[in-house]
Amino acid sequence: MKLRGPARPLHGSTELCGDKSISHRALLHAALSPDESRIQNVLRAGVTTAMIDCLQKLGVSITGDGNNLIMRGGVWRQPNGPLDCGNSGTTMRLLLGALAGMPIQVDLTGTPALECRPMGRIARPLRDMGASISADRAPLSIKGGRLRGCEHHLKIASAQVKASLLLAALQADGPTTIYQPEQSRDHSERMLRNLGINVHSTASAVRLHPNGRPLPPTHLTVPGDFSSAAFLIAAAVLVPGSKVHIHGVGVNSTRTGFLDTLRAMGADISIKNCRERGGEPVADITARHSKLRAVEVRGELVVRMIDEFPIFAIMATQAEGTTTVLDASELRVKESDRIATLAGELRHMRVSITERPDGFVITGPQQLSAAMVDSQSDHRLAMSLAIGAMLADGKSRIQHSEAIRESFPGFADVLRLLGAEIY
Ligand code: S3P
């Protein structure tokens, strides 16, 4: 992908593809129901293609057109070969939870990058519940069966671990309680409650009582993805003269730490027309160009904006003062080591950034230089570097930008419609 900066003002309105986390959960819940589910506005991107392919190999019927799917699942069958989770950590982790209660043996593989990501955080508690899992990294093999309800004390606030354990808990012989150090995204809890499952949750614990019956069907319209909206919000706030509206975005507070942080930095962002879609809060967001001041981000806020740090780093380069991110060592085990990749690639754009073991420090404002940068096949890095390139003087090139298809295939088209020069 090539971009020319400095970008002209961005103007216009857009809607976004469905939320990645909610799409994954809706697909899995529908796959566990023997009745017909209908899901609208499902994210169709690399990560959900991986999930859909795996579910079909497990015997789940998935039809429909584009973003609207009709599904019928129930009891899964032994697949003919290994299931390829691609580069999707959510696919592998959530599948493991659902497979833990099924009496079949399944091999799970993925890209070399996925093989580097920790799976022990899922495998260990699932073994405690009764599943056999061959390894703590991919490729691995799972043999499920009868599960016992358990108490799990998570050391890290991970919604993927929580969602995976809840999928196993649905199939266990007694209640399961998951204690979390901080509140992570709560989409699973909301969706399961909507399906009539007895799930009680607070910021520090989630308790699920299984009812021994298969899940009822899922009927849901997936809200727009806040994590994709974050790139457009950032572009509008950063590019002088811009004003961008985004309709129908999920604004669940367990996801919107980025909004709270940008507002604390002085960004002009309004949220209107709050409503509910499938048990999730949804709203229309308007973001305008603003002058930013530096902030410190740490603690529970980190969990609520965990996917937004690559784009947040670009914003920090334009804020007056020193921005510090702490308590964010989880960034090192995402699609890339996001602290190291960010620091390395931003330095190619002549940004001065200090890496910390658990975050980074950037003093702004700084002028970004046009450069050849490499996303290291990390979709959120690629989109963040593209927004950074819009602030630079001259032509930049983002290598491995095809990774963007993993979560936001329409990224370049939407930005072009808003006025960006991308080619
Ligand atoms: C996700 C949770 C987060 C997030 C990922 C999606 C989910 O991961 O980074 O993009 O859908 O539950 P962790 O649970 O590993 O923090």
Side-chain angles (χ1 to χ4, degrees):
M1 175 184 283
K2 293 184 201 137
L3 295 99
R4 184 176 291 286
R8 294 188 300 250
L10 303 173
H11 277 284
S13 297
T14 188
E15 285 204 357
L16 285 180
C17 44
D19 183 89
K20 168 167 96 82
S21 295
I22 298 174
S23 295
H24 273 304
R25 286 158 174 78
L27 289 167
L28 271 166
H29 296 158
L32 290 174
S33 174
D35 299 319
E36 186 178 281
S37 294
R38 284 176 182 263
I39 313 168
Q40 257 101 60
N41 201 35
V42 177
L43 172 66
R44 298 308 293 265
V47 292
T48 45
T49 299
M51 177 68 92
I52 288 170
D53 288 351
C54 291
L55 292 174
Q56 285 178 324
K57 288 191 175 123
L58 289 160
V60 177
S61 154
I62 307 179
T63 55
D65 61 276
N67 306 82
N68 303 325
L69 298 181
I70 302 170
M71 296 181 58
R72 194 184 283 273
V75 178
W76 295 357
R77 65 158 192 249
Q78 176 94 36
N80 287 331
L83 300 185
D84 184 357
C85 301
N87 202 24
S88 172
T90 317
T91 298
M92 184 166 283
R93 291 181 174 139
L94 268 55
L95 270 179
L96 281 170
L99 285 166
M102 310 249 173
I104 51 177
Q105 164 121 20
V106 179
D107 299 329
L108 297 172
T109 63
T111 59
L114 187 62
E115 288 178 1
C116 296
R117 299 184 65 186
M119 293 296 151
R121 54 179 63 183
I122 303 271
R124 282 188 291 273
L126 289 178
R127 286 187 196 115
D128 290 343
M129 294 177 84
S132 302
I133 301 176
S134 65
D136 287 348
R137 300 229 176 226
L140 48 76
S141 169
I142 177 166
K143 173 95 180 21
R146 282 181 68 87
L147 298 179
R148 44 187 175 271
C150 267
E151 285 205 348
H152 302 287
H153 293 264
L154 306 189
K155 291 203 183 71
I156 40 162
S158 164
Q160 290 186 359
V161 175
K162 180 173 63 176
S164 180
L165 296 179
L166 288 173
L167 287 162
L170 283 171
Q171 305 169 73
D173 63 4
T176 291
T177 308
I178 303 161
Y179 295 96
Q180 49 184 359
E182 253 120 25
Q183 165 92 73
S184 61
R185 60 190 71 184
D186 66 352
H187 307 304
S188 291
E189 295 91 306
R190 287 168 180 263
M191 290 170 75
L192 290 172
R193 257 196 301 269
N194 273 352
L195 293 176
I197 303 298
N198 182 346
V199 181
H200 180 75
S201 57
T202 63
S204 57
V206 183
R207 188 170 172 82
L208 185 149
H209 288 260
N211 61 20
R213 294 193 297 274
L215 275 184
T218 289
H219 297 297
L220 177 76
T221 301
V222 180
D225 194 322
F226 180 79
S227 294
S228 296
F231 296 102
L232 306 183
I233 295 170
V237 169
L238 293 174
V239 175
S242 300
K243 179 177 172 189
V244 171
H245 302 282
I246 316 163
H247 297 280
V249 185
V251 287
N252 178 326
S253 62
T254 62
R255 289 286 294 283
T256 52
F258 181 68
L259 275 188
D260 301 343
T261 303
L262 291 199
R263 282 176 155 168
M265 293 171 93
D268 181 351
I269 301 172
S270 61
I271 300 182
K272 295 220 169 89
N273 198 11
C274 282
R275 52 208 186 267
E276 221 191 77
R277 220 192 226 186
E280 290 277 346
V282 165
D284 303 329
I285 299 179
T286 304
R288 291 179 183 80
H289 171 62
S290 319
K291 230 172 122 39
L292 299 176
R293 51 184 177 271
V295 283
E296 184 179 274
V297 180
R298 65 191 313 167
E300 62 84 37
L301 193 50
V302 169
V303 182
R304 293 196 300 115
M305 58 182 282
I306 191 67
D307 288 337
E308 279 63 77
F309 284 101
I311 188 59
F312 178 66
I314 304 292
M315 307 208 71
T317 66
Q318 303 308 302
E320 184 82 43
T322 299
T323 291
T324 309
V325 173
L326 304 160
D327 303 329
S329 50
E330 269 299 294
L331 294 176
R332 295 205 179 269
V333 291
K334 294 293 179 187
E335 283 81 335
S336 67
D337 173 342
R338 284 191 173 153
I339 298 174
T341 326
L342 260 176
E345 298 309 314
L346 285 181
R347 282 185 193 124
H348 290 308
M349 300 183 100
R350 302 245 169 90
V351 170
S352 167
I353 169 171
T354 308
E355 249 191 80
R356 292 176 44 104
D358 63 342
F360 53 84
V361 181
I362 294 175
T363 300
Q366 300 185 33
Q367 173 62 49
L368 275 64
S369 295
M372 165 114 94
V373 286
D374 190 342
S375 73
Q376 317 274 345
S377 295
D378 180 333
H379 55 128
R380 298 203 198 280
L381 249 298
M383 291 185 272
S384 305
L385 292 168
I387 305 292
M390 291 168 67
L391 308 176
D393 208 353
K395 200 158 110 183
S396 293
R397 187 187 171 137
I398 322 289
Q399 290 181 292
H400 297 114
S401 58
E402 66 283 355
I404 292 172
R405 290 201 291 263
E406 285 295 302
S407 66
F408 190 177
F411 174 76
D413 290 339
V414 172
L415 275 176
R416 269 189 217 107
L417 280 177
L418 297 173
E421 269 185 77
I422 305 182
Y423 41 102

